[in-house]
Structures are given as structure tokens and as C-alpha cells.
Amino acid sequence: MSGLTLKGPYRVAVRQHRRALWTVPAVMVAGLVVVIVLRSWAESLPSGRLGASTPNHGYELLYYFMRYAGAGVLFMPLLLGAFVAGPMTARELESGTWRLALTQSTTPKGWLGSKVVVAAVMSLLGSAAIVGVYRLGWVRVSHTYQLHWADRGTYEASGPVLAAYCLLGVALGVLIGQLVRRTLVSMALTGVLTGLVVLGFGALRWSLVPAVTRTMPLEGNLYDVMPGSALMMKSGLLTSSGERLPRYACFERTHDMSVCPPDMNVTSWYVEFHPASHHWPTQLIESSLVLALACVTLFAAFRLVGARRG
């Protein structure tokens, strides 16, 4: 047991922030209890779908809980980064209490490393637990409105990309906390920058894996050539020369989606989409890119703290 006991700056970091650290398992347990109760209620009644003639209130409550839980998960990296930047890093630099740690045979890098390790371990364990709890509830209400596998919130809460963003929040927190050295300003700036990174990758993620392209005759239905769970990216008209035209190019002249003027030389429809099988490759590629950014940020943070002297 003695080998498992925290020592030195790690013990200090845990004791300083033990109340905040205990909120992570508390939230996880509460979420797990709610998901289990709502799933049991939903499966005990008929018509487990939205809009059924006989409403299943358990299913509806589970749907709304998972919908808002997914939206809330998007703020987890922001809150984590703000906590690391403010209370864990900038507050000690602002008050000067970090110098006390240097009198206890601890180097500046050891002081910062304890913050990073404690925050990283808790973020990894917490994000893994969130993904497990979320998928337990989401699998019962998947493929419903705003709970598609590719929707914002659901995507982040159902795979390893959540852990990657949390680690990036930790890295940004320790770097910005050192640079700014003001608790509230560091928290705000870290939250904003982490949010911008999350939004930026969210806008680019579906270009990380090539989309699947399918064509079909003008008389057909676009949805017949792609799976029902697919994420449609783009669709339109295809001419004999391979040129792509907007989807409503023919309709503007003939007022019929399936009839095109001969001079336009339109031969078929085309559609680009991501099947559900692209979920995990996209998650892994995006996670790798975010982790690489986190490593670069951490490197800069340790280089900066290495220049400090007690």
C-alpha cells in the first residue's frame, strides 16, 4: 500500500483540490443512476419512440436527458482547462505560494508536473466514465433527432475525442496560467481558447476521412443509395462531362426535380456521405491531432516554467 501513497507535490496537489476532484466521481455516479433508472423505465413500457400514439414518458425523459447531456459534455474541456489555469496554476503564481513548494526539494518542473499529472489522470478517468455512461443511455435513443452519431455533443461524448480535448484543456490551462498569472483572466482566456479549438476541429472533422460518393438516375431517390444512418455532406446534379451542378439547377427552369433541359446535359444525381463506419476512424484521427497539439502546448509550458527561479 505504501507504493500507492501519493508523495511530495502530488500529494499536495490532491489535498489542495480534493473537493473539486471529488465532484468528478459524484457527477459520474449521479449520471449513471439517472441513465439506469430512465432506461429501465423506458424499456418497461410499450411504444419506446418519440411521437408514438401511446407516449412512453420514460423514453421521452431519457431522450431529453441524453440530448442535453451531450450538449453539456461540450463544456467539459472548457471547464477543466479553466480550473487548471486558474485555481491550480495562476492562483499560486499570483499569490506567490508556489515558491513555498520550491523550498521543499521541489523543482519548478516538478511543481508544474504535479499539476499536470493530477489533472490529466482525473480528466482521463472522468472522460472515460462519461463516455461509458453516455453510450449506455444513448444506445437506447440513437438515430433520433439531434442524437445522430455525427451530431455535435453526441459525437464528442461517444468516443476518445472527449479525452483528447480534456487533455488539451489541461495543457492550455498550465500554459496560459503561467503566462497571464491572474486567476480570473487565465480562466476566461483558457475557456475561450479551448472552445475555439473544439469548434474549429468540429468544423473540419468531416474532411479528415474522404466521403463516399454515389450516383443514381434522375428518376431515383437519393436516399436509396446511402444507408439510413449516414451523414449526408453534399448532393447535386452530374452532367455528361462530369461537371457538378447545384441540386436545384433543373428545378429553377422546369419546376420538376426529375426533369432537366436537354441543353444542360444532366445525366444523374450524385451524393457524398459518411457512413456510420467512418465514426471510429474520424474519432481516432481527430484525437491524434488534438493530442499532438496538447503535447506541443505542454512542451511550451514546461520550457516556460524551466526558466523560473524560486
Side-chain angles (χ1 to χ4, degrees), residues 15-94:
R15 287 184 60 84
Q16 280 182 324
H17 308 288
R18 58 187 181 276
R19 293 183 179 178
L21 295 177
W22 272 113
T23 61
V24 177
V27 171
M28 294 304 99
V29 171
L32 179 61
V33 170
V34 172
V35 168
I36 292 176
V37 170
L38 292 180
R39 273 205 60 169
S40 301
W41 186 7
E43 293 173 354
S44 66
L45 298 173
S47 303
R49 59 186 178 84
L50 295 178
S53 56
T54 303
N56 182 333
H57 296 298
Y59 183 91
E60 293 177 354
L61 287 175
L62 178 62
Y63 163 77
Y64 285 110
F65 178 79
M66 301 312 301
R67 177 176 166 183
Y68 291 113
V73 163
L74 292 174
F75 291 93
M76 181 178 173
L78 285 66
L79 295 175
L80 179 61
F83 176 76
V84 173
M88 291 192 77
T89 306
R91 186 169 64 186
E92 292 196 23
L93 292 171
E94 184 178 14

Side-chain angles (χ1 to χ4, degrees), residues 105-123:
S105 301
T106 300
T107 63
K109 289 185 178 180
W111 169 80
L112 185 65
S114 66
K115 311 293 184 184
V116 173
V117 170
V118 170
V121 170
M122 290 306 300
S123 64

